[in-house]
Each structure stands twice: as C-alpha cells, then as structure tokens.
Amino acid sequence: MAYIKFDDSKVSKFVHENEVPEMQAMVNAANTELREGTGAGADFRDWLHLPSDYNKEEFARIKAAAKKIQNDSEVLVVIGIGGSYLGAKSAIDFLQGDFYNAKSKAERKGGVQVVFAGNSLSASYLHELEGFIGDKDFSVNIISKSGTTTEPSIAFRIFKEKLISKYGKEEADKRIYATTDAKCGALRTEVEAEGYESFVIPDGVGGRFSVLTPVGLLPIAATGADIDQLMKGADDASKDYVDTDLTKNDAYRYAAIRNILYRKGYVTELCENYEPNLRMFSEWWKQLMGESEGKDQKGIYPSSANFTTDLHSLGQYIQEGLRNLFETVIKVKQPPYNVEIPMDKENLDGLNYLKGQSMNEVNDKAYEGVVLAHNDGGVPVMTVEVPDESEYSLGYLIYFFEVAVGISGYLNGINPFNQPGVEAYKKNMFALLGKPGFEELAEKLNKELKK
C-alpha cells in the first residue's frame, strides 16, 4: 500500500466509470516506453532509479561538505536557475518552514541560512541579497551544467569577487562548491583549474528531475535536514509505483485521470496547498509539469494557488469562471505545529463558537468546504495527502510527481524529457546583447523592434 493517499472521488462527475479502465492499455504502453527506454528522451530517465542507484561516495562527501559549511559559514549562497534552485528551495521551505532564515543559529540547530541567487537578472534583488549577507561569513554553491547560463554566471562572477575580497583567493576557493557536469563545460574547466570541491550533475537526469542529486542535496543538507531519509522516501516510492494496474498505482492513475480531463477541455491544472511553506513546492511542480508536457502545441497548463489565502483573490474565478481547469491539492495530514483558538470575552468577531478548536481543524474544514463548493461549481478536484512534513514524506512526494509526469507525457504523445522551447528567448537575448555570433539575428530583431 502506498505511503501517501490519493483521492480522486471528486472527479467522478467528470470522468465516467468506464474511462479510467479504458486508459489501461495506453498506460501499459506508456509504462513500456518509460521503463524499457523505448520512448522519446530515453537518455534522460536515470532519475527513475536514482533513489537507490546513486554515488554513495559522493553522497558522503555532500554530507561532509554540508558540515564544513555549517562550521565556517553563516550563509550559503546557492546560485542556479530553474531546476538548479527550485527543488532545493521547495524542499527547504517544506522541511524548515517560512521563517527559517530569520531564526537564530541555535534555533536552526546548526544549519546555515540558505539564500538563492542567479535565478533572475534583477540588480535590485542582488543588491538586497548582498545587504542581507553583509559581514556574515558565507560560502557559495554554484550549480550549472554548462557554466555559461547567463543568470547564474553573472551572479557567480559577483559573489566570487566578493569572496576573494573578503577572504583572499586561497580561502575563497575553499568556500566555493561547484555542482556541474562530470567532464566538460566552462564550470568544469574552472573547477579543474581552481580546485573547487565539486559534485556531479548526472548526464541522464534533466534539471527539473535533479532535486535528489547533488543539485538539491547539498543545499538541503546544509540546513541540517536528513537527506538519508529524503532518499529513503523516494526509494520506497520508486518500489511502490511500478505496478501498471490503475487500481493499484496511484501515480499512474493520477496521470491517466489528468489526461482524460485534458481531452475533455480541462486544459489548466491548479496545484494547491493549505500550508504556506508549500508555495515553493508548487513552483517546483510547475516547472516539472510545464517543461515536461508543454510542447508540440499540446499540454496541460500548470498553475498554482495557495489556500486559504488565494480564495480571497482567485476563489471567484475558480468557482464561476471558465470551466477549463481542474485542481490537484497537496494536503498535509499532520502539520508540524498547531494553535488553539482562544476565548474572547467581547466576541465582537463572533468567533467564540470556535473556542477550544485548533487552527488545523479549521484549516481541514476549509479544505473540505472548498472541495465541495468547487466541485459543485464544475471543477474536478484530486487530492494527494502526505502524512507529515518530514524528509521521508517529501522524498516520496517528489517521486510520485516525477513518475506521474513521465507516464502522462507519453500518454499525450510527447517527449517528456526535453525542453527545446526554452532556447528561443535565449537566442534573441544574446543577439540583442551583442554576443559574438549573433550579429545577423541582432540586425533582424532591431529592425522588428523599430517597427
């Protein structure tokens, strides 16, 4: 029996009883493409067995590096974009909470503050980040397979210079941790020349699937989180989600149902939560789903909402807007903390009927009420419930969605493991910035901009 609970009872009005079984043959075929490597993008399936088949020596070095960072730094600056930061950021928020960086070192139990750079081209953000670091001791984890991606490369130049200015070249080199390609690329060349401690981004794991590689593991470990349990949760999920039977494999069932809904015109999926520290998990999920499925003029559009907050902004649209969306709620059965609602003598807000109840109880009733209202309003709702916010649960949840999107992509007849569309804007940006080799395109673009 799977560790997390998948509830699809609130799609029964939209998916007929026979439709899921009718998908079984297609799921079997998609499973063959995924497991046997007969589908498109087969070279990027190493994440499938990653939770058990990883470099144990490197894993030990990651834990040792995290300890060193905790001992000599107050802050770890993680430089990367897309999958090179979303997974780590979502995991740290999930495990450590929204205010982790505001806690004292004692409250963080020795974990360092982790901040992220190189995920935008905003000078204002970078300025504020430098102000946050101030005179604190810090280290840098640069994450880039090529070492030439614009956003992280600019940020690395700036923080490398700051390290050298503060510590000198020799000590600065000891505070730089590079996660990059094993053999080639600009960053690998620099690693070999300067002697930075380095970790490998596996060739067969795309960026959006890389959170359980050194890409995510070093920043997560630097906070003191138990990455052994993180991998254990993912490993157990990898064993639980191999049966192709849609009555037994919830990850495959989720993939099948979302494809049924998509073919009926439900083209937008909202990933929702009822805990603010899961916001970034939705951001990771959006890249996983959008970059995997949005191609060949096909694919479900991934969006997100944070409840109950967004019920006061998006709730009206979800309830009564275009009937082209469905919801996937990530629910935590037992959040780490609870607060009892107190009595108020005056009762001006009329809430004394809640006296003695817990906020978690109220949050649960909000979830139940929202599901019923949205369902009545014509919105299919699925729920993925995890028992708690532990490392084990997170690892399990990550794998659930990874294997689901692999199956879902093949069900829709696309390659779920490439991302050709993300290169289009880069070419235009390089041309407009005057990068050598883009002169002809620059001339064309400048003419278009002047129209």
Side-chain angles (χ1 to χ4, degrees), residues 371-385:
V371 169
L372 291 173
H374 288 182
N375 213 229
D376 289 343
V379 182
V381 184
M382 294 180 280
T383 299
V384 178
E385 183 182 81

Side-chain angles (χ1 to χ4, degrees), residues 13 67 78 134 163 170 174 199 212 237 290 297 336 369 405 447:
K13 292 194 296 186
K67 287 293 184 185
V78 180
L163 278 172
E170 185 177 348
K174 296 176 183 177
F199 305 97
L212 299 178
Q297 288 73 57
V405 80
K447 286 180 180 178

Side-chain angles (χ1 to χ4, degrees), residues 76-193:
L76 174 64
V77 182
V78 180
I79 300 174
I81 196 166
S84 294
Y85 98 98
L86 283 171
K89 174 62 174 164
S90 68
I92 291 169
D93 285 5
F94 184 101
L95 297 171
Q96 307 295 357
D98 285 298
F99 301 100
Y100 172 75
N101 279 342
K103 295 178 180 178
S104 68
K105 191 159 188 174
E107 291 172 317
R108 297 194 308 270
K109 299 178 182 178
V112 297
Q113 295 172 316
V114 178
V115 294
F116 295 85
N119 49 58
S120 77
L121 290 170
S122 170
S124 297
Y125 175 85
L126 208 58
H127 174 77
E128 291 182 27
L129 182 55
E130 287 182 303
F132 173 82
I133 296 170
D135 292 329
K136 297 174 185 174
D137 286 316
F138 74 100
S139 295
V140 167
N141 177 204
I142 169 66
I143 305 169
S144 176
K145 195 163 180 65
S146 66
T148 59
T149 305
T150 306
E151 295 92 339
S153 293
I154 290 173
F156 185 42
R157 283 193 178 198
I158 291 167
F159 282 100
K160 182 168 51 176
E161 184 179 79
K162 188 174 175 68
L163 278 172
I164 293 171
S165 175
K166 185 176 179 68
Y167 299 107
K169 180 71 167 62
E170 185 177 348
E171 176 62 20
D173 289 348
K174 296 176 183 177
R175 290 175 174 269
I176 295 173
Y177 302 83
T179 308
T180 188
D181 190 87
K183 298 176 181 178
C184 59
L187 184 53
R188 173 53 60 185
T189 299
E190 186 170 345
V191 165
E192 299 305 324

Side-chain angles (χ1 to χ4, degrees), residues 321-343:
L322 281 174
R323 301 298 77 188
N324 65 350
L325 56 85
F326 64 98
E327 299 169 287
T328 297
V329 181
I330 301 173
K331 188 174 183 298
V332 180
K333 183 176 182 180
Q334 187 63 53
Y337 305 105
N338 207 348
V339 173
E340 186 176 292
I341 299 168
M343 172 81 170

Side-chain angles (χ1 to χ4, degrees), residues 343-352:
M343 172 81 170
D344 184 275
K345 184 178 179 181
E346 301 299 327
N347 194 31
L348 295 177
D349 55 15
L351 293 179
N352 274 353

